[in-house]
Amino acid sequence: MFSNILVPTDGSEAAELAVPYAVELAERFEATVYPMYVVDTDAVSHALGSEQVDRLDAGQFSEMTAVHERAADAIDRVREHADESSIDVHPVIEAGVPYREITAFAAENDVDLIVMTSRGRGGVTRALLGSVTERVARNTPVPVLVVDTDDDSIDSAGVAAEPA
C-alpha cells in the first residue's frame, strides 16, 4: 500500500512526534522513508542578504554552515528513529516555500503518504491544523496523516499510549 513515505520536519520537538508513525508504517509496508527539511526562504529572506537567499534557492546549503547544520540535525533525529529498524531512509533538504516544496517532492517522487504533525516550530495554534500542514493537505492528492501534537495519548517520545 505504501512504498514511499515523506516525513517533513522543521527540527522541532512537535515535528518529531510524526516520526514514530512514519517509521512504524514503513516497517509494516517495507517502505522507504524520506525525511525532508525545507529551508523556508521567505522566513530567512529578511535576515539574510539576497545573495545568500539565492544560494539557498540554488541548493548550496553546505556553504551556509548554520542553515546546513540545522537541516542536518533535523534529518539526523529522524534517522535515529529509523536506525532501530531495517527501513531505507533517504534524506531530502530543499529551499523554498515549505508547503510548495513538500507537495512538489511528493508529486515528483511517487510518495504514497505524507506524515506530519498539526504544528511545528512556529507553535502558533490554528483552529484545526498548522499552516504548513493545512496547505500541504489542501494542495496534494497524496494522503496526509496528521499527528495531533496536543493529543494527551501521545507521550514525549511520540508513542501512543496503550488504550485503557
Side-chain angles (χ1 to χ4, degrees), residues 48-107:
L48 301 174
S50 61
E51 181 181 327
Q52 289 178 314
V53 172
D54 290 343
R55 283 177 160 167
L56 288 174
D57 285 335
Q60 298 172 342
F61 306 106
S62 59
E63 295 177 20
M64 304 184 71
T65 308
V67 172
H68 186 263
E69 285 178 9
R70 197 171 320 125
D73 286 346
I75 296 292
D76 285 345
R77 286 196 296 275
V78 174
R79 195 188 310 253
E80 287 170 8
H81 284 280
D83 280 348
E84 298 169 9
S85 66
S86 60
I87 62 172
D88 290 329
V89 177
H90 297 279
V92 179
I93 301 174
E94 296 289 342
V97 177
Y99 86 91
R100 287 185 188 144
E101 294 299 324
I102 293 165
T103 56
F105 182 87

Side-chain angles (χ1 to χ4, degrees), residues 27-57:
E27 287 175 323
R28 287 187 187 185
F29 293 100
E30 298 178 5
T32 300
V33 170
Y34 293 89
M36 181 179 202
Y37 185 94
V38 179
V39 179
D40 187 346
T41 54
D42 283 350
V44 299
S45 65
H46 299 293
L48 301 174
S50 61
E51 181 181 327
Q52 289 178 314
V53 172
D54 290 343
R55 283 177 160 167
L56 288 174
D57 285 335

